[in-house]
Amino acid sequence: MASTEILPATASERTKGSHEQGFHGADEKHKSALECLVMVATHHAITLTVAEIVRDNGLPDPVVDYDALVHCARHAGLKAKLVHLDWAGLTQIKKAVPAIIRLKTGASLVLARVIVDGGPLGVVLHDPNAAEGAELFVDWLRFQEIWTGEVLLVRRNYDLKDEEQPFSISLIASLIFRERKLARDIAICALLLSLLALAPIIYWTLIGQKVIAYHAMNTFTVLTVGMLVLIVFETIFSFLRSYLLQFLTSRVDVRLSEYMFDRLLALPIDFYERTEIGVVMHDVQELWKIRNFLSGQLFGTVLDSMTLLFFLPVMFAFSPLLTFIVLAFCGLIVLWLLAMLPALRAATGKVIIAETARGSFLYQTLAGMRTVKSLALESRQRREWDVLVARAAKAVDNQARVASIVQTGVRPLERLAVTGSYAVGVYMALSTNDPLYISALFAFLMLSQRVAGPLMQIAQLINQGDEARAAVDVVKQLLNQPREEGIGDGGVRKPLAGHVEFSKVLFTYKGALMPAIDGVSFEIPVGMTLGVVGRSGSGKTTLTRLLQRLHSEYEGLIKIDGVDVREYNIAHLRRNLGVVLQENFLFRGTIRENIMAAKPNATFDEVVRAARLSGAEEFIDRLPRGYDTYIYEGSPNLSGGQRQRLAIARCMILDPKILIFDEATSALDPDSENIVNENIRKIAKGRTVIVISHRLSSLVNSDAILVLERGKFLDMAPHQTLIERCEIYRSLWLQQNGHIEAAATSRASGRGTTLV
């Protein structure tokens, strides 16, 4: 049962008690806010730590204001709202606890409940620095003295996050209309502009009927001044509409970019291994076509079409017959576009295929430029590029031809919608010989011209909408791929010690006939260094990929510290596994930025420590700019050994308990290999280390060596034991080191001979 401490009520006791009962001092201002958020999140079954919040939100340190605290809460899957209350308001929050309250010292506490009935008035608080379960009672008078009135209400967010929703055109529409206030203001501006668009027509009608007919100069002056005023208003509202529409588009771009990037990050690694990056880049660009259609063409057409609300009734008032003629020609345009839609759709599809192939080849060439140069493949690449460009140009020409045919059919109908109705009007005016009808005819001409534009836009939406539909299909195929299993906020987050266990693990890659790992079982105690050897294709790297949970579709169990790796929070698991590969990717930026990539809030001392552990400090200190040395894309200004040491430093910044070195030294020269191996031996103390290497000499000092053969467990023992009892290991050893042993045997036998 939780204990409850009571804060004294007298002034002197309260002053003393504020230091003795667990309240934070001013030197810890705001630091307790994140600790309180962790406590509230735990109440809502979300496991967090302050370090994870700092890392996931890119915070420089744990000291945050309440605006940042709201952002952190929402990022963690909670809904948070900062409110200002008095005591009367606080007594009404009822089930909205636990909440976070802020004290005048700057510290934060968790509000557990407000006591109004059944005891003395006051609040029960939880202090994150107190013992777990300890409660602190504060009477209402004292609480009002120390409380700022700020309350952060927090509850679990059960709504689907944007990145969890499947991609569709309705998702983008929801992102647009999420900005309701902006959309409302834009609609108001468009409505007023539509109303003001009647002004020139009314002006010219009155000029013809009242001014010219009666030579009314005073009326002319009043109409002209009024028209100038309306032009000023029209200019202002036109600017506001353009500005607000651009602002809305920018906000949608931000949300859409975040959604797209989150979805790409959530895709599994095997998707990227079987999909060309150039294709992915092209498909991503199709996203902006959809955005342009919704926020530009569709939204713009809807806004422009508001003129129809005012113009069509006026046109019907002038002449229902002429209005029906205009609408009839617009209907013919719609039918023509629908008839040509299949041909245009087929042409657009061919353009997408051709441009995708061209973009993919361009990316492949740029990414492999070093190989292209070293093998003098420029002419070969140029020939293939020319072929792809020709195919794309041919597809675009075909699309342009179809589009021209479509436009050719639309243009005469568009002209007839205005001139045809006007011709009929002229005929009727001549037949009636009514001067007022003739002046009204000019007004109708201006109305029909203003109405024809929005009607044409509505008709053309058929083609534009079909292009957007094709783009939606392309982007859906990319972003709606199955997400990586385990992505999210759930899962075990306990600290890892490093005990690894494989039990009857069976795994087969998609499309493969034979399993890559076939019933493998072994155990790695905490602090052990395990070497892994085997012929190519024996499943060495696959073992480490399964341990990192890059693949989850396997049979059997893989445990770390007795917990199935599929139960861990995936981000937490990977942050506790330090992985160094044969080819390590370094980001463009400084050496310091690369080392602290996994821990953005790392101090410079932590960066130096990681560099020292990896052996990178030795060459960094010799560089003119040291840790501020800029690494270019592809890291051409660093040697292979330097890149490997920086990769080791980057994984050591998080101080992982399990280290994986996958052929980390196979591409290095002997001197660099010796340096890296020596550093590995230093940092292996107290950690579980898995080393994969084809060079068996680098594994001799391992505590044990695991031998795999065609995905199956063959043997596991120290080097000398394997030499004696494992035929495959002995064969691999002799292939690499037989000449050394032969030379040593020869020297030994030579020492036993005597020259005569």
Side-chain angles (χ1 to χ4, degrees):
M1 184 174 179
S3 62
T4 302
E5 301 179 20
I6 300 178
L7 192 66
T10 65
S12 60
E13 290 175 323
R14 286 198 300 264
T15 302
K16 179 180 178 183
S18 65
H19 297 285
E20 295 178 352
Q21 300 297 327
F23 287 113
H24 305 287
D27 59 327
E28 294 182 286
K29 186 176 181 180
H30 302 315
K31 185 177 181 181
S32 56
L34 288 183
E35 296 170 341
C36 290
L37 180 60
V38 169
M39 294 180 68
V40 175
T42 302
H43 174 82
H44 292 290
I46 296 178
T47 305
L48 294 174
T49 65
V50 172
E52 288 173 347
I53 297 174
V54 170
R55 180 172 52 247
D56 293 344
N57 292 276
L59 302 175
D61 53 58
V63 179
V64 297
D65 57 24
Y66 269 43
D67 288 336
L69 190 64
V70 169
H71 174 79
C72 293
R74 291 174 179 170
H75 188 270
L78 298 164
K79 284 187 176 181
K81 182 179 182 181
L82 182 63
V83 296
H84 294 264
L85 301 173
D86 55 14
W87 173 254
L90 191 66
T91 60
Q92 301 300 317
I93 66 172
K94 298 179 181 178
K95 294 183 179 180
V97 292
I100 301 174
I101 57 105
R102 182 180 174 189
L103 307 182
K104 292 178 180 178
T105 62
S108 297
L109 295 174
V110 175
L111 175 65
R113 59 185 180 275
V114 181
I115 300 178
V116 180
D117 302 318
L121 291 178
V123 296
V124 176
L125 305 173
H126 287 160
D127 186 345
N129 286 345
E132 185 176 355
E135 295 181 340
L136 177 67
F137 175 81
V138 184
D139 69 88
W140 72 281
L141 289 174
R142 169 58 177 152
F143 181 70
Q144 291 182 86
E145 292 177 8
I146 63 175
W147 176 43
T148 63
E150 292 176 293
V151 181
L152 186 67
L153 302 176
V154 183
R155 64 184 179 88
R156 184 74 179 263
N157 186 2
Y158 291 99
D159 298 336
L160 275 178
K161 297 180 181 178
D162 285 340
E163 63 270 18
E164 294 176 351
Q165 300 184 46
F167 178 81
S168 64
I169 201 165
S170 61
L171 172 68
I172 304 180
S174 69
L175 294 180
I176 293 175
F177 291 107
R178 188 176 294 176
E179 307 293 340
R180 295 182 183 88
K181 293 182 179 179
L182 271 177
R184 178 202 62 195
D185 294 341
I186 294 171
I188 291 173
C189 289
L191 201 61
L192 291 173
L193 285 172
S194 301
L195 189 60
L196 290 171
L198 286 171
I201 299 170
I202 297 173
Y203 175 77
W204 289 111
T205 302
L206 293 175
I207 288 291
Q209 294 180 354
K210 303 296 182 183
V211 175
I212 297 177
Y214 298 102
H215 299 281
M217 184 58 68
N218 291 335
T219 304
F220 172 70
T221 303
V222 172
L223 289 175
T224 303
V225 171
M227 188 63 197
L228 290 174
V229 172
L230 292 177
I231 289 174
V232 172
F233 277 102
E234 185 179 28
T235 303
I236 293 172
F237 284 116
S238 179
F239 167 77
L240 286 175
R241 175 188 150 168
S242 299
Y243 173 75
L244 292 175
L245 188 58
Q246 180 59 43
F247 187 64
L248 173 64
T249 302
S250 298
R251 291 180 68 88
V252 172
D253 277 349
V254 170
R255 293 182 183 275
L256 205 53
S257 297
E258 291 177 345
Y259 170 83
M260 176 268 297
F261 199 67
D262 286 339
R263 295 289 293 191
L264 291 177
L265 290 177
L267 294 178
I269 188 64
D270 61 342
F271 169 80
Y272 292 103
E273 292 176 342
R274 55 185 167 83
T275 306
E276 298 179 26
I277 299 301
V279 173
V280 174
M281 296 296 293
H282 174 272
D283 292 351
V284 166
Q285 294 304 315
E286 293 294 300
L287 189 65
W288 310 121
K289 288 185 180 180
I290 306 167
R291 191 270 293 167
N292 290 336
F293 170 74
L294 288 177
S295 62
Q297 296 159 343
L298 180 61
F299 199 50
T301 299
V302 171
L303 295 177
D304 292 338
S305 299
M306 288 186 177
T307 58
L308 301 178
L309 298 175
F310 301 100
F311 281 42
L312 284 178
V314 175
M315 290 175 66
F316 273 107
F318 274 117
S319 174
L321 175 61
L322 299 183
T323 305
F324 277 121
I325 291 174
V326 173
L327 295 177
F329 278 110
C330 290
L332 290 175
I333 291 174
V334 171
L335 292 176
W336 169 251
L337 292 175
L338 289 174
M340 294 299 297
L341 190 59
L344 189 61
R345 181 179 297 174
T348 302
K350 291 178 180 178
V351 170
I352 292 175
I353 294 173
E355 289 185 344
T356 301
R358 183 181 63 182
S360 178
F361 182 80
L362 176 61
Y363 175 84
Q364 185 184 52
T365 301
L366 295 177
M369 189 56 72
R370 185 175 297 177
T371 302
V372 172
K373 294 290 185 181
S374 62
L375 298 179
L377 299 177
E378 290 89 347
S379 59
R380 172 185 177 274
Q381 298 300 102
R382 190 179 295 111
R383 285 193 302 272
E384 291 193 30
W385 174 255
D386 290 344
V387 171
L388 293 173
V389 168
R391 288 176 183 171
K394 185 177 180 181
V396 171
D397 287 344
N398 182 55
Q399 183 193 38
R401 180 179 59 81
V402 176
S404 297
I405 294 173
V406 172
Q407 191 61 34
T408 301
V410 168
R411 191 173 300 279
L413 295 174
E414 182 181 351
R415 294 288 185 266
L416 287 172
V418 178
T419 58
S421 61
Y422 187 65
V424 173
V426 170
Y427 174 79
M428 294 175 63
L430 292 175
S431 300
T432 59
N433 200 24
D434 185 353
L436 290 178
Y437 193 92
I438 295 173
S439 63
L441 186 61
F442 284 103
F444 186 87
L445 175 63
M446 297 181 68
L447 283 169
S448 62
Q449 288 176 332
R450 294 299 299 268
V451 166
L455 289 176
M456 293 306 104
Q457 286 180 316
I458 293 174
Q460 290 171 355
L461 277 180
I462 296 173
N463 284 343
Q464 296 165 349
D466 191 65
E467 290 181 6
R469 181 205 57 79
V472 167
D473 290 341
V474 170
V475 178
K476 282 173 67 175
Q477 190 175 358
L478 169 66
L479 298 185
N480 288 354
Q481 293 281 337
R483 288 158 53 90
E484 184 175 15
E485 187 178 337
I487 288 290
D489 301 320
V492 178
R493 295 173 182 261
K494 74 169 190 174
L496 303 189
H499 184 274
V500 177
E501 181 182 356
F502 280 64
S503 178
K504 299 179 180 179
V505 176
L506 176 67
F507 172 73
T508 305
Y509 284 104
K510 291 181 180 179
L513 298 178
M514 301 295 293
I517 298 295
D518 190 359
V520 170
S521 299
F522 63 91
E523 189 173 344
I524 311 175
V526 176
M528 178 180 183
T529 297
L530 176 71
V532 183
V533 300
R535 297 187 177 95
S536 296
S538 59
K540 303 184 296 298
T541 298
T542 303
L543 275 182
T544 62
R545 290 167 68 96
L546 295 178
L547 187 61
Q548 298 169 64
R549 204 180 165 189
L550 294 176
H551 306 282
S552 298
E553 308 82 14
Y554 59 85
E555 298 178 17
L557 284 176
I558 302 175
K559 295 182 179 181
I560 297 180
D561 300 338
V563 179
D564 190 336
V565 294
R566 288 173 286 203
E567 298 296 326
Y568 281 103
N569 174 274
I570 197 165
H572 174 77
L573 172 68
R574 290 173 183 170
R575 277 194 292 265
N576 282 274
L577 297 175
V579 182
V580 182
L581 306 175
Q582 179 178 352
E583 290 291 334
N584 289 282
F585 181 83
L586 297 181
F587 295 97
R588 183 180 58 186
T590 64
I591 288 178
R592 181 192 300 190
E593 291 169 346
N594 267 275
I595 293 177
M596 61 192 298
K599 191 178 182 181
N601 62 325
T603 64
F604 182 67
D605 288 342
E606 289 177 306
V607 172
V608 172
R609 177 180 175 275
R612 185 176 297 127
L613 283 172
S614 68
E617 184 184 38
E618 171 263 333
F619 79 84
I620 294 175
D621 288 341
R622 295 201 307 266
L623 297 173
R625 296 182 61 84
Y627 288 87
D628 292 324
T629 300
Y630 193 83
I631 301 175
Y632 300 101
E633 185 174 355
S635 54
N637 52 332
L638 295 177
S639 68
Q642 291 171 338
R643 285 196 294 270
Q644 290 297 79
R645 281 180 270 178
L646 285 181
I648 296 173
R650 184 171 59 189
C651 81
M652 291 304 300
I653 195 74
L654 292 173
D655 193 23
K657 294 302 180 182
I658 301 175
L659 292 173
I660 299 172
F661 297 94
D662 189 353
E663 300 288 357
T665 62
S666 61
L668 302 181
D669 60 83
D671 289 338
S672 298
E673 181 184 10
N674 290 333
I675 294 173
V676 172
N677 283 334
E678 183 60 31
N679 294 326
I680 292 174
R681 280 191 286 272
K682 290 179 181 178
I683 63 180
K685 296 178 180 178
R687 294 182 172 88
T688 301
V689 181
I690 300 174
V691 183
I692 298 174
S693 179
H694 281 100
R695 298 182 182 177
L696 304 189
S697 57
S698 62
L699 304 177
V700 171
N701 295 322
S702 300
D703 297 319
I705 300 173
L706 170 66
V707 184
L708 296 175
E709 176 65 15
R710 295 184 180 180
K712 295 183 179 180
F713 176 93
L714 197 62
D715 204 344
M716 180 174 168
H719 164 72
Q720 195 57 45
T721 304
L722 290 176
I723 288 289
E724 295 172 358
R725 76 183 190 193
C726 182
E727 182 179 348
I728 289 181
Y729 182 83
R730 183 167 58 251
S731 174
L732 292 173
W733 175 262
L734 292 176
Q735 288 176 14
Q736 297 179 20
N737 303 282
H739 61 288
I740 299 176
E741 294 189 2
T745 303
S746 177
R747 285 195 299 270
S749 61
R751 284 194 298 267
T753 60
T754 303
L755 293 177
V756 178

